[in-house]
Amino acid sequence: MKRREFLAGAAAAAALTVAPRLVFANDGTVEVIVGSDQNLADFWSNVVVPALQQELPDLAVNVTVSDGNSGMMALADRALAALKTNSDPQVDVMEAFNPRNTVGGIEAGLWLDFSKAGLSNYEKLSKLAVDTPFGLPYRGSQVVLAYDSNKVSTPPKTWEELTAWIKANPGQFIYNRPDKGGSGGNFVRRAIHEANGRDPSLFTTANFSKEQADKMLPAAWEILKDLAPSLYQQGAYTAGNTPSLQLLMSGVVSMIPTWSDQALSGLKSGELPPHIKLAQLQDLAFVGGFAYCTIPSNATHKEAAAKLANVLISPAVQEQIVDQVAGFPSIEWSYLSDDIRTANADIIPTSIPAFPDGEWEAAVNDGWYRNVAPNVARN
């Protein structure tokens, strides 16, 4: 079972994905295309849009789920082509789409600059969340530690404490293979960060080369090989995010890395028992990231779309991000209620490191199998 399947729960049967419907762009309806799952489309329809309609009661908003990432890329390409011909892009808001994904889009002026759009809530955004002013961060997730509080009274707060705990408690920790889920993958990346001075900025999409990888990754393989005999079954690795959680729930292990949204959702629904607690490393956190919204600069309803974006990052909606979809807010936690901050105190991040995909990801996965787990079959 994959992470998304765990999060979907009973709603999975109703989560039908359809191609974007683009015929309403000229009739006064704001078109929102959701690049995430149906549960996020429901959140937009049931929370975000009604919040906007309190300000603009006569505004019509149509929320549609995209046909996967390829569908979102096609919409962005269409918007770029429309910009060049001064025509209607037939989309006003794109959810969970990074503006960097469209080659030449930022340079061509395709995307609205949110820092200059007059959003009253823009200054509330966390500095950890903002990557580019052309993409509006609105919800995040991050790998955290999940632990059995019946067995672990004080969770580790640093990488040094974590590795010491693993060695002092042999067989009680496990992570999944890095190519089978982000929780294990980002545990591996945290070892890479540790081996490189805890400096995530050293890894970018543009600076990959085989020579760089051969220089920067081997020290992490040594760290992980040193830990392997202390893991569950002296070096076993699960096949995904959810299998790790299942071992923790069954009491087979006492601690794992897990996605914050998956664990928080499971705790809220009761799929995870209440003695499962969460914690985050404080010296350098595990890798995380945010979902971004973009608005084409040539959108027919750009003004209304910008108002929708401002509502999206309002404290009221951001609290619902935490409560309903188990996400991290993109605004500073200080703008949220005391109750929410208290309930999430152990996982509020002081850092949200990133790690590039692409060639770096391939090098990490290949290197892990060759150097850390050569006896594990890759399939």
Side-chain angles (χ1 to χ4, degrees):
M1 181 181 290
K2 298 180 180 178
R3 173 188 175 207
R4 285 176 178 242
E5 292 170 339
F6 184 94
L7 287 169
L16 300 177
T17 301
V18 296
R21 185 158 53 98
L22 302 174
V23 297
F24 296 99
N26 291 314
D27 71 350
T29 299
V30 175
E31 287 292 333
V32 176
I33 308 298
V34 172
S36 302
D37 293 337
Q38 185 67 40
N39 68 312
L40 267 302
D42 293 341
F43 179 81
W44 278 73
S45 296
N46 299 330
V47 176
V48 183
V49 172
L52 175 65
Q53 290 173 333
Q54 290 183 15
E55 298 181 22
L56 303 171
D58 297 327
L59 182 69
V61 181
N62 185 54
V63 179
T64 308
V65 179
S66 170
D67 186 18
N69 185 61
S70 60
M72 297 297 286
M73 290 296 295
L75 289 171
D77 290 342
R78 176 179 294 189
L80 182 58
L83 182 67
K84 295 175 180 178
T85 59
N86 196 30
S87 55
D88 182 4
Q90 298 184 297
V91 59
D92 298 300
V93 179
M94 296 179 64
E95 184 269 352
F97 186 79
N98 192 317
R100 299 185 189 278
N101 289 347
T102 302
V103 176
I106 292 177
E107 295 76 8
L110 175 59
W111 307 113
L112 177 70
D113 184 337
F114 289 102
S115 69
K116 299 177 181 178
L119 276 59
S120 62
N121 291 314
Y122 192 81
E123 292 303 316
K124 296 183 176 71
L125 288 173
S126 168
K127 301 301 185 290
L128 300 175
V130 177
D131 173 50
T132 167
F134 302 101
L136 185 72
Y138 88 99
R139 60 178 173 85
S141 62
Q142 191 168 14
V143 170
V144 297
L145 291 173
Y147 64 96
D148 184 337
S149 62
N150 292 332
K151 300 177 181 179
V152 181
S153 58
T154 304
K157 290 296 185 181
T158 66
W159 178 261
E160 183 178 4
E161 290 179 5
L162 174 59
T163 54
W165 185 93
I166 292 171
K167 291 180 178 181
N169 296 272
Q172 292 301 299
F173 187 90
I174 196 168
Y175 65 94
N176 62 265
R177 287 175 273 166
D179 61 336
K180 298 298 182 182
S183 61
N186 287 335
F187 178 81
V188 171
R189 285 159 177 76
R190 181 59 183 83
I192 294 171
H193 285 154
E194 188 71 15
N196 288 275
R198 298 181 201 148
D199 186 358
S201 69
L202 295 176
F203 300 88
T204 68
T205 302
N207 77 355
F208 176 83
S209 68
K210 184 179 184 303
E211 292 72 24
Q212 279 288 90
D214 290 343
K215 176 183 176 182
M216 301 175 76
L217 298 182
W221 306 147
E222 293 303 316
I223 291 173
L224 295 170
K225 283 195 293 184
D226 183 54
L227 289 177
S230 300
L231 300 179
Y232 177 63
Q233 293 184 344
Q234 298 181 318
Y237 307 92
T238 65
N241 302 305
T242 299
S244 295
L245 275 171
Q246 291 169 337
L247 287 179
L248 179 65
M249 285 187 290
S250 65
V252 173
V253 297
S254 301
M255 189 181 301
I256 62 166
T258 187
W259 278 106
S260 58
D261 55 352
Q262 184 174 12
L264 289 168
S265 177
L267 287 168
K268 182 178 179 180
S269 68
E271 291 179 89
L272 290 179
H275 64 267
I276 301 300
K277 306 294 184 184
L278 308 178
Q280 181 58 274
L281 299 184
Q282 299 302 306
D283 53 348
L284 180 69
F286 292 101
V287 170
F290 285 83
Y292 297 90
C293 288
T294 53
I295 296 176
S297 61
N298 54 336
T300 301
H301 307 104
K302 182 171 65 176
E303 182 177 350
K307 291 181 182 296
L308 180 60
N310 193 51
V311 166
L312 184 63
I313 57 172
S314 66
V317 172
Q318 288 288 297
E319 288 195 352
Q320 294 304 308
I321 290 286
V322 178
D323 184 58
Q324 293 201 24
V325 299
F328 281 3
S330 62
I331 64 174
E332 296 286 354
W333 285 83
S334 59
Y335 291 105
L336 276 56
S337 70
D338 291 342
D339 289 345
I340 288 179
R341 294 201 307 275
T342 299
N344 293 277
D346 290 335
I347 57 171
I348 293 176
T350 57
S351 60
I352 305 179
F355 198 94
D357 297 327
E359 292 175 302
W360 273 114
E361 180 179 18
V364 168
N365 293 341
D366 293 343
W368 184 85
Y369 275 100
R370 287 199 313 270
N371 297 283
V372 180
N375 296 323
V376 174
R378 187 172 186 178
N379 50 47

